[in-house]
Amino acid sequence: MSGAKLTKIAEALPSTVPFVGPEAAERQRGTAFTARLGANESVYGPSPKVLRAIEAAAPDVWMYGDPESHDLRRALALHHGVEMSEIVCGAGIDGLLNSIVRLHVEPGVSVVTSDGAYPTFNYHVAGYGGTLTKVPFRDDHEDPEALLRAATETGARLIYLSNPDNPMGSHHPAQVIDDMIADLPDGCLLVLDEAYIELAPDGTAPLIDTSNPQVIRMRTFSKAYGMAGMRIGYAIGEAGVIRSFEKVRNHFGIGRLSQQAALAALADTEWLEIVRAEVARARDRIAGIARENGLTPLPSATNFVTIDCGRGAEFAKTVLDALVARGIFIRMPFAEPGNRCIRVSCGTDQDLDRFAAALPPALAEAGSAMNDG
Amino acid sequence: MSGAKLTKIAEALPSTVPFVGPEAAERQRGTAFTARLGANESVYGPSPKVLRAIEAAAPDVWMYGDPESHDLRRALALHHGVEMSEIVCGAGIDGLLNSIVRLHVEPGVSVVTSDGAYPTFNYHVAGYGGTLTKVPFRDDHEDPEALLRAATETGARLIYLSNPDNPMGSHHPAQVIDDMIADLPDGCLLVLDEAYIELAPDGTAPLIDTSNPQVIRMRTFSKAYGMAGMRIGYAIGEAGVIRSFEKVRNHFGIGRLSQQAALAALADTEWLEIVRAEVARARDRIAGIARENGLTPLPSATNFVTIDCGRGAEFAKTVLDALVARGIFIRMPFAEPGNRCIRVSCGTDQDLDRFAAALPPALAEAGSAMNDG
């Protein structure tokens, strides 16, 4: 009665999760968080029109969703001025990253990313047996030149770049990204994760050029559109690159309600403006709270603010733990030099009142711990 | 400006879809179907309590779903009398099949299934470079002895078996499956797809034995529970086998509403009884319509009836095309000898009225075509 062997790749993989979810942390703590500011979700919620679309479509959930996401792709194509054949939908950017990595990465293949960037991408690269090279952030920005250099040195097949980036919240203007694209080595695909693009200043997103098979853009309804729990995102790219998803994707994997909700979300540009304004207001408030406590908020092009706690990684981790112990769910960057910071998602006024109340005692506690240590 | 190379496996894969969805077929036709009887969905819909759960949870969709599906797994563990560590949730059985194949299949690995069984499983096996051996159905049933023999001969790491099966609608009693499990070669895992189990006669499902690492059971909310569009299913197995999913699964891939909806569905046993009764009534009606037209309905333990059209594969395909041309969406088995049949999902009274009206002219048309041929 012996079980089936795992593949060579799977055998070597740890059983892991790229992030511990807030619900799991709550179960460990035994109590709920009073402010959920750790997952860069949109506390402002989806558009009221999205809620109506969900309600209207709910009785139809006995039907599988359209495996082609035809209506949504048509709307997205119009929205972005591209062809439907240049768009593929997926169950969030996580699902799309899985597919693009699976298509291109096997043992012996090199991939380049920034140290401290999205762990789920790294999880996929490891999951398909690739070799990951990480280059450090520079001045709290991802470093296109270093990424290109590493890609050239390692003969990388993929480069991952988020713009705006998580976890620092910084961004590059479109020209920097366009210059990077122009300098991509042959045979290397730039996976440009634009999860936060709707919240970034104008001029952050390069013009979409679907004639270039070396760039694929990832977008999501999880952030500005407030639909993280609906699991829907999309990729835009050259038609041949997009068509390759048909080799491996889970065709019936996108929920019926998710497609309807995304259509409604895309159409409600007014709600997006409201969210943008709320996010800008919350960013300012978080930055203000940081400064009042002697900390340094970094500029943010996203729906979170990364705060430099000023005393290194151990201090930042102690501040994070002290906030979590006070019911404030936040996260922090994983890697040097970002890990001198904590990362706080935009919240409601009440969420930020609670953060503002918890931060001074958390800093005091962390300060004592450091002085004792 | 040359794109990134695909992996050796991906390079060899076709861009394909295991099924053409009904929406795609409607777009090709230019008109909507008047009866949707081809995807074995549950026209009776989800429980009204599911709809209320979706409505109640909708404002929370700005939050990611719990990546551990904790509450749902707890409820499922109670329901099945197993431990939470013996259950993993996924985005439908399709998603779970992807993970189990990915964990075990690499080039050089043999896998066994029945010829004409679920194409999405085959899609995954090809997608990870495995070698698939297909054994024929026998007497319109999957053939455990032949599957075991082929597994032994090829040193297979996985056997796929659906019970009740799709597309014939037949089933084996639990004892046959238990005997098969007892005879599994060492190192071979039985992937037991029980998508239709809630609609099968008592005594179809073997007792769940999570001490055995050679069996994994796949269940779904897409069929009897009427939630195909919500993308949620689960697997039950030995804790080590279940834990291996953590190596590769998309942890945040299950929607927040889907988890809430599944909890509500599982709790509403009354609705499940109503659906069972409706399915039984619709099966009888479909069988009656078949007989009235001189065709032979096969016994069904599912929410569809497979109908032997009596004149071979070409005739059955012509009947299918003639029904589709009349707005009746159905499918048919892909492979000999099942492809002498058409497959009709249980429908509403109106759906089946339309099927009953379309079948005689479709048969007449197919008969003429055959006589002309």
Side-chain angles (χ1 to χ4, degrees):
Chain A
M1 205 197 259
S2 76
K5 279 209 294 195
L6 297 174
T7 66
K8 284 182 285 294
I9 292 173
E11 185 60 52
L13 290 173
S15 285
T16 185
V17 51
F19 301 101
V20 175
E23 289 83 1
E26 286 176 336
R27 286 187 290 271
Q28 283 163 17
R29 284 163 39 85
T31 58
F33 290 118
T34 57
R36 183 169 164 131
L37 302 173
N40 300 344
E41 297 156 328
S42 185
V43 294
Y44 317 107
S47 152
K49 290 178 184 163
V50 166
L51 296 184
R52 286 203 290 278
I54 291 173
E55 209 173 304
D60 292 338
V61 296
W62 60 272
M63 291 183 270
Y64 290 97
D66 175 10
E68 298 180 351
S69 298
H70 176 275
D71 296 352
L72 178 58
R73 281 167 53 238
R74 187 173 54 187
L76 288 167
L78 270 170
H79 182 78
H80 291 295
V82 301
E83 300 295 320
M84 277 179 67
S85 57
E86 295 161 344
I87 294 184
V88 60
C89 294
I93 289 181
D94 283 3
L96 294 160
L97 289 176
N98 186 340
S99 291
I100 200 74
V101 171
R102 179 174 165 193
L103 283 165
H104 296 287
V105 175
E106 59 195 337
V109 169
S110 282
V111 176
V112 171
T113 186
S114 301
D115 195 13
Y118 195 44
T120 303
F121 178 77
N122 304 354
Y123 170 78
H124 293 314
V125 173
Y128 293 103
T131 304
L132 195 64
T133 299
K134 299 176 182 179
V135 307
F137 276 66
R138 193 176 63 179
D139 300 333
D140 298 324
H141 286 66
E142 296 200 50
D143 185 345
E145 283 176 34
L147 289 164
L148 286 171
R149 207 159 43 233
T152 303
E153 283 167 13
T154 61
R157 214 177 265 182
L158 303 179
I159 299 177
Y160 174 87
L161 177 84
S162 58
N163 191 48
D165 85 272
N166 178 21
M168 304 313 288
S170 64
H171 74 288
H172 289 291
Q175 190 58 53
V176 171
I177 307 298
D178 273 331
D179 290 348
M180 182 181 180
I181 291 169
D183 288 344
L184 283 167
D186 267 357
C188 181
L189 176 68
L190 177 65
V191 179
L192 181 54
D193 182 340
E194 300 183 311
Y196 298 96
I197 197 72
E198 297 87 0
L199 302 165
D202 285 348
T204 303
L207 283 182
I208 293 174
D209 172 12
T210 51
S211 74
N212 188 342
Q214 290 197 264
V215 185
I216 186 162
R217 319 266 291 247
M218 303 278 182
R219 304 281 179 104
T220 185
F221 288 92
S222 296
K223 301 299 179 189
Y225 291 106
M227 288 167 38
M230 297 300 287
R231 305 287 64 219
I232 186 156
Y234 58 101
I236 312 173
E238 187 266 338
V241 174
I242 295 300
R243 195 164 51 243
S244 67
F245 280 76
E246 301 304 318
K247 292 170 176 268
V248 299
R249 75 186 185 93
N250 184 2
H251 292 82
F252 288 85
I254 307 178
R256 195 170 185 95
L257 298 187
S258 304
Q259 296 183 34
Q260 292 301 318
L263 270 169
L266 192 67
D268 194 350
T269 52
E270 217 170 304
W271 181 256
L272 190 60
E273 285 311 315
I274 291 170
V275 170
R276 278 192 186 119
E278 288 291 325
V279 164
R281 202 166 64 88
R283 282 194 301 232
D284 287 348
R285 173 103 198 271
I286 296 169
I289 294 166
R291 282 189 207 100
E292 283 159 22
N293 286 273
L295 310 180
T296 309
L298 307 186
S300 168
T302 66
N303 68 350
F304 60 87
V305 177
T306 300
I307 299 171
D308 185 343
C309 294
R311 294 176 65 181
E314 191 188 339
F315 180 71
K317 177 66 168 65
T318 313
V319 173
L320 178 131
D321 289 343
L323 284 166
V324 166
R326 285 167 176 76
I328 312 294
F329 168 55
I330 62 164
R331 295 198 196 272
M332 63 182 290
F334 295 101
E336 293 282 348
N339 61 2
R340 71 190 192 281
C341 302
I342 58 174
R343 194 196 71 181
V344 181
S345 304
C346 290
T348 62
D349 286 340
Q350 189 183 55
D351 291 332
L352 298 185
D353 288 346
R354 288 172 177 161
F355 171 62
L359 185 56
L363 286 169
E365 187 181 315
S368 313
M370 292 289 281
N371 295 337
D372 293 349
Chain B
M1 208 199 259
S2 76
K5 279 210 294 194
L6 297 174
T7 66
K8 284 182 287 292
I9 293 174
E11 185 60 51
L13 290 174
S15 286
T16 185
V17 50
F19 302 101
V20 176
E23 289 83 3
E26 287 178 335
R27 286 186 291 269
Q28 282 163 18
R29 284 161 40 83
T31 57
F33 290 117
T34 57
R36 182 169 164 131
L37 301 173
N40 301 341
E41 297 157 329
S42 185
V43 292
Y44 317 106
S47 154
K49 289 179 184 161
V50 166
L51 296 183
R52 285 204 290 278
I54 290 173
E55 209 173 304
D60 292 339
V61 296
W62 60 272
M63 292 183 270
Y64 289 97
D66 175 11
E68 299 180 351
S69 298
H70 176 275
D71 295 352
L72 179 59
R73 280 168 54 239
R74 187 172 54 187
L76 288 167
L78 270 170
H79 182 77
H80 290 295
V82 301
E83 301 295 321
M84 280 179 66
S85 56
E86 295 162 345
I87 293 183
V88 60
C89 293
I93 289 181
D94 283 4
L96 293 161
L97 288 175
N98 186 339
S99 291
I100 200 75
V101 171
R102 179 174 166 194
L103 283 165
H104 295 287
V105 175
E106 60 196 333
V109 169
S110 282
V111 176
V112 172
T113 186
S114 301
D115 194 14
Y118 195 45
T120 303
F121 178 77
N122 304 355
Y123 170 79
H124 291 315
V125 173
Y128 293 103
T131 303
L132 194 63
T133 299
K134 298 176 183 179
V135 307
F137 276 66
R138 191 175 63 177
D139 300 333
D140 298 325
H141 285 66
E142 296 198 51
D143 186 344
E145 283 175 33
L147 290 164
L148 286 171
R149 208 158 44 233
T152 303
E153 283 166 15
T154 60
R157 213 177 269 183
L158 302 180
I159 299 177
Y160 174 87
L161 178 84
S162 58
N163 191 48
D165 86 270
N166 178 21
M168 305 312 289
S170 64
H171 74 288
H172 288 293
Q175 189 59 54
V176 171
I177 307 299
D178 272 331
D179 290 348
M180 182 180 179
I181 291 169
D183 288 344
L184 284 167
D186 268 358
C188 181
L189 175 69
L190 177 65
V191 180
L192 181 54
D193 182 340
E194 300 183 311
Y196 297 96
I197 197 71
E198 297 87 1
L199 302 165
D202 285 349
T204 303
L207 284 181
I208 292 173
D209 172 13
T210 50
S211 73
N212 189 341
Q214 290 196 266
V215 185
I216 186 161
R217 319 266 292 249
M218 303 278 182
R219 303 283 179 100
T220 183
F221 288 92
S222 296
K223 301 300 178 186
Y225 292 106
M227 288 166 38
M230 297 300 288
R231 304 290 65 220
I232 185 156
Y234 58 101
I236 312 173
E238 187 265 336
V241 174
I242 295 301
R243 194 166 50 243
S244 67
F245 280 76
E246 300 304 318
K247 292 171 177 270
V248 298
R249 75 185 186 92
N250 183 2
H251 292 81
F252 288 84
I254 307 178
R256 193 170 186 94
L257 297 186
S258 304
Q259 295 184 36
Q260 292 301 318
L263 269 170
L266 192 68
D268 194 350
T269 53
E270 218 172 303
W271 181 255
L272 189 59
E273 285 311 315
I274 292 170
V275 170
R276 278 191 186 120
E278 288 291 326
V279 163
R281 202 166 65 86
R283 283 195 300 231
D284 288 349
R285 174 105 197 270
I286 296 169
I289 294 167
R291 283 192 205 96
E292 283 160 23
N293 286 275
L295 309 180
T296 308
L298 307 186
S300 169
T302 65
N303 67 350
F304 60 86
V305 177
T306 301
I307 299 172
D308 185 345
C309 295
R311 295 175 65 181
E314 191 188 336
F315 180 70
K317 176 67 167 67
T318 314
V319 173
L320 178 130
D321 289 343
L323 284 166
V324 166
R326 285 167 173 78
I328 312 295
F329 168 56
I330 62 164
R331 295 198 197 272
M332 65 182 291
F334 295 101
E336 293 282 350
N339 61 3
R340 71 192 192 282
C341 304
I342 58 173
R343 196 196 68 181
V344 182
S345 306
C346 291
T348 62
D349 288 340
Q350 190 184 54
D351 291 332
L352 298 185
D353 289 347
R354 289 174 176 160
F355 171 61
L359 185 56
L363 286 169
E365 186 180 316
S368 312
M370 292 291 280
N371 294 335
D372 293 349

